[in-house]
Amino acid sequence: MSVVACPAQVVTVQAHARTTVATVELWTCGRLVAGPWRAELGRAGLSAHKHEGDGATPTGTYRLGAVYGIAPDPGVRGPYHRLVCGDWWDEDPSSPAYNTFQHVGCGRSPPFGGESEALWRIAPQYRYFVVVEYNTHPVVAGRGSAIFLHVSTGRPTAGCISLAEPELLQLLRWLRPSVHPLVRIGIS
């Protein structure tokens, strides 16, 4: 008899069509371990056809990647990158580094343009965040960039998923990078 491995860690994000509010739950091998929690989505709701600047949160299943933040490491189980002056997310579709983290010397202008984000300046949203690996393998220019799970402001986002800081911290501390956690974003 063969054994079917379950996805060890899955974050589900469910919302009705045309809404900017979602429900987030944490699952381990099909067992609910935390949530439901209220989350904010992109100002254009969910989309199966995300593109740069549309304000939508992409639907689908993606890996959760690197964890970053302006604040000190909150006790995550994997690597944590504390943001400093010069840390950017390249959101310029014409850039060869599109949809990636980039460090540019503090006080220098980045070699990319578009709506690229100076990550160290965006608070409270980027006090803590984890990268949703949307449009990463491979990167397709213009398909959308900088999709994160980050701290909520209580308002819709530009395409990310945001949670109240206590819930986000619980999620970040729960993640085990060694089991390749997933996020499933869908319409309920």
Side-chain angles (χ1 to χ4, degrees):
M1 181 167 87
S2 65
V3 176
V4 177
C6 66
Q9 290 188 316
V10 178
V11 176
T12 60
V13 180
Q14 294 293 311
H16 295 291
R18 296 184 213 99
T19 186
T20 61
V21 176
T23 300
V24 171
E25 296 175 329
L26 310 184
W27 298 82
T28 299
C29 289
R31 184 175 59 87
L32 179 65
V33 296
W37 299 323
R38 176 190 167 97
E40 301 292 333
L41 300 173
R43 65 183 177 276
L46 296 173
S47 176
H49 305 287
K50 168 98 183 119
H51 63 273
E52 192 66 43
D54 66 0
T57 301
T59 58
T61 301
Y62 310 100
R63 281 198 174 167
L64 289 172
V67 181
Y68 296 86
I70 296 167
D73 183 344
V76 299
R77 296 183 189 196
Y80 179 81
H81 179 93
R82 185 155 185 201
L83 297 170
V84 297
C85 178
D87 286 346
W88 291 79
W89 200 270
D90 183 346
E91 297 180 43
D92 180 353
S94 67
S95 169
Y98 176 63
N99 198 26
T100 63
F101 172 87
Q102 297 292 311
H103 180 78
V104 176
C106 187
R108 296 185 59 204
S109 295
F112 40 83
E115 297 297 317
S116 297
E117 295 182 86
L119 300 172
W120 77 100
R121 293 182 177 161
I122 302 172
Q125 297 93 319
Y126 296 163
R127 279 181 53 77
Y128 306 102
F129 70 92
V130 60
V131 175
V132 173
E133 292 188 358
Y134 167 78
N135 192 26
T136 58
H137 306 291
V139 173
V140 177
R143 189 170 171 210
S145 61
I147 303 299
F148 309 135
L149 263 159
H150 66 65
V151 176
S152 179
T153 64
R155 296 184 312 272
T157 70
C160 294
I161 302 149
S162 67
L163 285 169
E165 189 169 314
E167 286 84 6
L168 180 65
L169 288 173
Q170 184 176 343
L171 182 154
L172 295 176
R173 292 173 182 139
W174 169 76
L175 292 175
R176 293 187 345 247
S178 64
V179 300
H180 310 291
L182 302 173
V183 59
R184 288 189 181 138
I185 307 165
I187 298 171
S188 53

